[in-house]
Amino acid sequence: METLSTPLVSLPIQANPEAPTVKNDNRNRLVLSLIDRCISLKQLKQVHAHMLRTGLFFDAYSASKLFTASTLSPFSSLEYARKVFDEIPEPNLYTWNTLIRAYSWSPEPSKSVKIFLRMLCESPYFPNKFTFPFLIKAATKLLRLGVGQVFHGLVVKSSFGDDVFILNSLIHFYASCGDLDFAYRVFVRIGEKDVVSWNSMISGFVQGGCFDKALELFREMEAENVKPNAVTMVGVLSACTKMKDLEFGRWIRSYIEQNGIQMDLTLSNAMLDMYVKCGSVEDAKKLFDKMEEKDIVSWTTMIDGYAKLGEYDVAKSFLDAVPRQEIATWNALISAYDQNGKPQEALAIFRRLQLSKNANPDELTFVSTLSSCAQLGAMDVGEWIHENIKKQRMKLNCHLTTSLIDMYSKCGNLEKALEVFHFVERRDVFVWSSMIAGLAMHGRGRDAIDLFFRMHEAKVRPNAVTFINVLCACSHTGLVEEGRMFFNQMEPVYGVVPGVKHYACMVDILGRAGLLEEAVEFIEKMPITPSASVWGALLGACKIHENVELAEQACGRLLELEPENDGALVLLSNIYAKTGKWDNVSELRKRMRVSGLQKERGCSSMEVNGTLHKFLAADTSHPLSKEIYSKLDEIVAKLKSFGHVTNKALLLQLVDEEDMKEQALNLHSEKLAIAFGLISTSPSQPIRIVKNLRVCGDCHTVAKLISKLYDREILLRDRYRFHHFSGGNCSCMDYW
């Protein structure tokens, strides 16, 4: 049993709870001294019980001492502290302030305000200079500008308007609420600013994105002969980091050394972060090696820095060298792989994490890993994560919900994505937008539009991403009028200024529908410079409608912006081939060889039993290559007997033997993946394939026929959308 070194039972107990207590009584002093020696809530409760028995609790000083320990000690419990508070007959102002302070630091700062209002109603006390900083802190955490302004008014009326501690709190409050102008007005009116005043305003400018003003204020601080401290330098380094100003950051390092400012751990980590984000991992490594004390932030910063530079082996060596591995270090590497287009490597690190048992995955781990699953179409891993979230009873916040919807949508299980969407109670704009995107990529344009209107009814304001997704839904399903309507309503109705991606979507909508002249006119009237994506959308439309002249113009404009865009030349080459212009095809291919441009190789992937299988065109590296090609021969024979004829025009555009080997239609990567799917999955399972490029016309036709001949459901995700093949039909209805 846990007890104090001086047993409570050895103290004399008075039977009468109303017996008067004397603050200077030696026995009572002994009891009060035990409060300071408590190391657990259980021990404190023992002292509390004794004080109730002896009547000592009913002494205001003694009660406030017990209450302070229950509220502010390392083992404090607000629930218990509140019960203690409610037992005190007449709490003094110090006790009220202590409870207000405790709630201002808690996850429920609004209770701090409620206690304050109760104090005004139930006690004879008026707030003093110690009350207001806690109330302002609560308003800051709540980000309630109006509440904080009320407290500011009370400060002025209470003659505390010159208290620098309160005014510093107000600077931080206004800056946190985004009102930098008022924060600066408070700062300017402080008669004798201390270093905290300057630090609060510098941090406020950094937080509000006014990095130049933060550095300017630092120079003013120097001119006023106010000695900066480590907190000042953390703020200044944050501004350097955001501005990517490595040279100024290096100057700050020299300034710190010259002025004898203590490089504590927080400042050292801020310096590391500045070096890494300004692109100088070498400087970061030198500082890291000199640091006597390092924490998880130090290690994570180095891992993140090397990973984002593509030096993954070095990043992994840092991960292995961490003295005590925590989930933050794993998250840094998983996230870096995911964000740099290396989803397979991200999943490999996630599997290492599972085997290591050194740390448990958290929300950030799952968000990054689900993103990688979405990129690869690795639904088995994604489903495992979803089940793990349920087992851990982890709350599905908007970040996790969005990630799950995105993963299921991109892995081809739209129904599961909808299930997640309907399950959650709270849906922010990102959750709604993610579900709209899922419906759009699966060709369910009408449903996507209906969901947009439901979002509007739920009073969730759409953002720029929402409109990109809605316009894509219109594009994939030929909803031209609806697309026009949404685009025209963006700014006047919803306050969202169309960006270049919205214009590209609109060109795609018009172009796919064959309205090429209108698409060109639309581009000419754009208030912003058309980007490569705009010209790419027009070029894609020219391929569909075989408009060679316009395709040449669009391709020329695209290459002006992106000279090494091999896709533009390949697309133009396909248009030439489609229209029988073989000399032009040959000329373009020669141009690509001379300039060193190479067509991006087609790659299809498929997950079976948690293992990802990748296929390139004419690939023979798979362990089951023999069986795959045997099945492919069977498919080709069946297709011929069914009357399928290969599109010769696509073959004729190939001009050399190597190119023929890579792109021969019967050996395209998606066909190899389908053949593998037929031999490795049960007939009841859908064949789920992810293709890095747009599926070609012949493969699209073949997939439709295979779905009918083998009675299989095939879900193929290409660069732009999903194709659901079943019974000889495709969900895109050949509008792709």
Side-chain angles (χ1 to χ4, degrees):
M1 178 180 175
E2 185 180 31
T3 58
L4 294 166
S5 57
T6 303
L8 293 178
V9 292
S10 68
L11 297 168
I13 298 176
Q14 295 175 327
N16 181 7
E18 296 182 356
T21 58
V22 181
K23 190 160 46 178
N24 293 324
D25 185 276
N26 289 332
R27 288 173 299 180
N28 291 337
R29 273 198 232 160
L30 177 60
V31 175
L32 295 179
S33 71
L34 292 176
I35 293 174
D36 296 326
R37 292 159 57 193
C38 289
I39 59 171
S40 70
L41 191 62
K42 184 177 180 182
Q43 290 180 348
L44 191 66
K45 286 180 177 179
Q46 287 179 323
V47 176
H48 183 187
H50 182 80
M51 290 174 68
L52 287 170
R53 291 191 194 103
T54 62
L56 185 60
F57 179 77
F58 301 99
D59 171 65
Y61 171 79
S62 305
S64 67
K65 188 172 178 65
L66 175 74
F67 174 70
T68 301
S70 69
T71 309
L72 304 178
S73 65
F75 50 83
S76 63
S77 163
L78 257 179
E79 183 182 359
Y80 172 64
R82 185 63 184 270
K83 289 177 182 176
V84 173
F85 178 84
D86 290 338
E87 288 177 358
I88 300 174
E90 294 180 358
N92 57 24
L93 181 56
Y94 171 82
T95 306
W96 283 103
N97 281 347
T98 302
L99 187 58
I100 291 169
R101 174 187 181 183
Y103 275 123
S104 74
W105 290 353
S106 78
E108 298 179 286
S110 59
K111 288 188 176 180
S112 185
V113 181
K114 291 176 183 176
I115 294 296
F116 169 68
L117 295 174
R118 183 179 157 190
M119 182 186 92
L120 293 180
C121 295
E122 298 179 9
S123 81
Y125 304 110
F126 195 78
N128 63 10
K129 66 178 183 179
F130 300 108
T131 315
F132 286 113
F134 305 138
L135 291 171
I136 294 165
K137 182 179 180 63
T140 303
K141 287 184 73 175
L142 291 166
L143 294 178
R144 297 289 296 273
L145 185 62
V147 173
Q149 286 173 328
V150 169
F151 295 144
H152 191 176
L154 287 173
V155 166
V156 175
K157 289 179 181 178
S158 307
S159 72
F160 295 125
D162 294 326
D163 187 286
V164 70
F165 192 73
I166 294 174
L167 294 174
N168 289 342
S169 299
L170 284 168
I171 293 170
H172 178 60
F173 160 71
Y174 282 116
S176 297
C177 291
D179 194 341
L180 286 176
D181 289 339
F182 216 99
Y184 190 66
R185 282 169 64 183
V186 173
F187 172 78
V188 168
R189 289 178 183 177
I190 299 176
E192 294 184 16
K193 303 176 182 68
D194 62 11
V195 68
V196 177
S197 311
W198 292 92
N199 290 348
S200 298
M201 198 63 246
I202 288 170
S203 297
F205 279 137
V206 173
Q207 186 180 343
C210 300
F211 312 122
D212 287 330
K213 288 185 178 180
L215 298 183
E216 184 182 329
L217 198 63
F218 170 66
R219 294 186 184 98
E220 283 183 34
M221 182 181 182
E222 282 190 287
E224 294 281 338
N225 293 318
V226 180
K227 187 175 175 59
N229 59 17
V231 177
T232 318
M233 306 321 295
V234 168
V236 174
L237 280 171
S238 297
C240 291
T241 303
K242 297 293 184 182
M243 295 173 72
K244 299 287 190 291
D245 192 340
L246 178 61
E247 289 310 308
F248 193 74
R250 285 173 173 159
W251 180 85
I252 291 295
R253 174 74 186 276
S254 301
Y255 180 91
I256 289 169
E257 292 172 351
Q258 290 167 11
N259 287 271
I261 298 172
Q262 182 64 38
M263 278 282 286
D264 61 17
L265 183 58
T266 302
L267 183 52
S268 295
N269 283 338
M271 186 75 71
L272 274 182
D273 187 57
M274 183 277 295
Y275 281 139
V276 164
K277 288 181 178 170
C278 289
S280 181
V281 181
E282 298 82 7
D283 283 329
K285 179 67 165 59
K286 288 175 186 175
L287 174 61
F288 181 85
D289 290 339
K290 288 180 182 177
M291 287 169 62
E292 293 180 6
E293 183 187 2
K294 303 178 182 77
D295 64 2
I296 199 65
V297 175
S298 319
W299 288 94
T300 302
T301 301
M302 295 305 298
I303 291 168
D304 188 55
Y306 279 111
K308 286 181 176 173
L309 279 179
E311 296 186 34
Y312 298 107
D313 289 339
V314 181
K316 282 190 276 189
S317 71
F318 269 88
L319 177 64
D320 295 334
V322 177
R324 183 172 171 269
Q325 287 186 341
E326 294 183 28
I327 193 59
T329 53
W330 292 91
N331 288 347
L333 193 52
I334 292 170
S335 175
Y337 273 129
D338 174 64
Q339 292 175 18
N340 286 282
K342 292 186 174 291
Q344 204 161 354
E345 290 82 354
L347 292 190
I349 297 297
F350 178 69
R351 291 189 181 98
R352 264 188 64 188
L353 166 62
Q354 290 175 285
L355 295 171
S356 74
K357 298 182 181 178
N358 289 329
N360 293 317
D362 62 8
E363 177 196 328
L364 291 175
T365 321
F366 289 144
V367 167
S368 294
T369 308
L370 285 168
S371 172
S372 293
C373 292
Q375 290 181 58
L376 292 168
M379 195 166 72
D380 288 352
V381 180
E383 285 182 318
W384 181 91
I385 290 173
H386 193 183
E387 286 303 313
N388 207 264
I389 290 169
K390 291 177 183 176
K391 285 178 185 176
Q392 292 184 31
R393 296 187 177 179
M394 193 180 287
K395 187 177 179 182
L396 268 187
N397 60 27
C398 291
H399 291 296
L400 277 173
T401 302
T402 301
S403 299
L404 283 168
I405 290 170
D406 186 58
M407 182 275 295
Y408 279 122
S409 296
K410 289 179 178 175
C411 288
N413 196 334
L414 187 61
E415 296 312 311
K416 194 72 177 178
L418 286 164
E419 184 183 309
V420 172
F421 177 80
H422 291 303
F423 173 78
V424 295
E425 293 180 5
R426 184 171 177 269
R427 306 182 188 104
D428 66 4
V429 63
F430 300 103
V431 172
W432 285 95
S433 298
S434 181
M435 195 65 253
I436 290 169
L439 291 165
M441 74 175 73
H442 283 265
R444 289 173 57 171
R446 292 285 179 193
D447 291 336
I449 290 172
D450 289 344
L451 196 63
F452 176 88
F453 289 125
R454 280 181 54 198
M455 174 183 175
H456 183 72
E457 290 169 5
K459 295 184 171 26
V460 177
R461 195 170 185 81
N463 61 15
V465 175
T466 316
F467 279 104
I468 289 171
N469 297 341
V470 170
L471 291 172
C472 283
C474 296
S475 174
H476 292 324
T477 42
L479 302 174
V480 179
E481 290 307 315
E482 290 83 350
R484 282 198 190 100
M485 177 194 72
F486 283 118
F487 184 86
N488 292 331
Q489 287 182 351
M490 281 180 65
E491 190 169 3
V493 177
Y494 298 99
V496 178
V497 179
V500 70
K501 289 183 179 179
H502 302 101
Y503 283 99
C505 286
M506 202 61 219
V507 170
D508 193 50
I509 290 171
L510 297 171
R512 284 176 185 272
L515 303 171
L516 296 178
E517 288 184 14
E518 186 178 344
V520 171
E521 187 179 341
F522 180 83
I523 293 171
E524 289 172 348
K525 291 181 179 179
M526 280 176 61
I528 55 178
T529 304
S531 66
S533 60
V534 171
W535 295 113
L538 183 62
L539 183 59
C542 291
K543 179 178 182 288
I544 296 170
H545 301 289
E546 301 182 12
N547 189 321
V548 177
E549 184 180 348
L550 189 55
E552 289 173 336
Q553 293 176 31
C555 185
R557 298 299 293 273
L558 199 162
L559 291 173
E560 285 175 13
L561 298 170
E562 296 181 355
E564 296 187 2
N565 190 320
D566 61 288
L569 293 174
V570 170
L571 199 53
L572 183 58
S573 172
N574 291 344
I575 295 169
Y576 283 145
K578 211 172 175 185
T579 53
K581 296 182 179 295
W582 306 112
D583 290 341
N584 299 78
V585 171
S586 180
E587 185 182 334
L588 268 185
R589 294 285 173 163
K590 183 179 178 181
R591 177 179 166 185
M592 287 180 70
R593 280 196 298 272
V594 170
S595 61
L597 287 177
Q598 290 187 341
K599 178 184 180 294
E600 183 181 356
R601 294 193 72 184
C603 176
S604 297
S605 59
M606 180 179 177
E607 185 190 43
V608 177
N609 299 325
T611 302
L612 197 71
H613 301 264
K614 282 191 170 184
F615 301 91
L616 298 172
D619 196 354
T620 57
S621 61
H622 195 278
L624 295 178
S625 243
K626 186 176 178 182
E627 292 84 349
I628 291 169
Y629 277 88
S630 175
K631 176 59 73 172
L632 198 57
D633 288 340
E634 176 191 302
I635 291 169
V636 171
K638 281 194 174 188
L639 290 174
K640 283 181 180 177
S641 66
F642 197 75
H644 172 67
V645 179
T646 299
N647 188 334
K648 298 297 181 184
L650 288 174
L651 282 174
L652 286 169
Q653 67 181 285
L654 310 175
V655 296
D656 58 45
E657 188 177 339
E658 186 60 32
D659 215 335
M660 178 70 82
K661 178 181 177 182
E662 181 181 339
Q663 299 193 40
L665 290 179
N666 286 340
L667 302 180
H668 271 192
S669 63
E670 53 266 60
K671 289 175 182 168
L672 295 177
I674 291 172
F676 173 69
L678 290 172
I679 65 173
S680 60
T681 60
S682 66
S684 61
Q685 284 183 281
I687 297 172
R688 303 177 191 273
I689 298 166
V690 175
K691 173 80 184 284
N692 65 328
L693 304 176
R694 186 179 182 183
V695 62
C696 76
D698 189 74
C699 289
H700 188 268
T701 302
V702 166
K704 286 197 294 183
L705 292 172
I706 291 174
S707 72
K708 183 174 184 178
L709 291 170
Y710 288 86
D711 192 23
R712 294 295 297 269
E713 184 182 1
I714 302 170
L715 286 85
L716 196 158
R717 186 184 100 203
D718 69 10
R719 179 172 281 180
Y720 301 104
R721 61 168 298 158
F722 257 98
H723 298 271
H724 293 236
F725 300 101
S726 180
N729 298 307
C730 179
S731 59
C732 74
M733 300 174 68
D734 296 339
Y735 189 87
W736 58 285

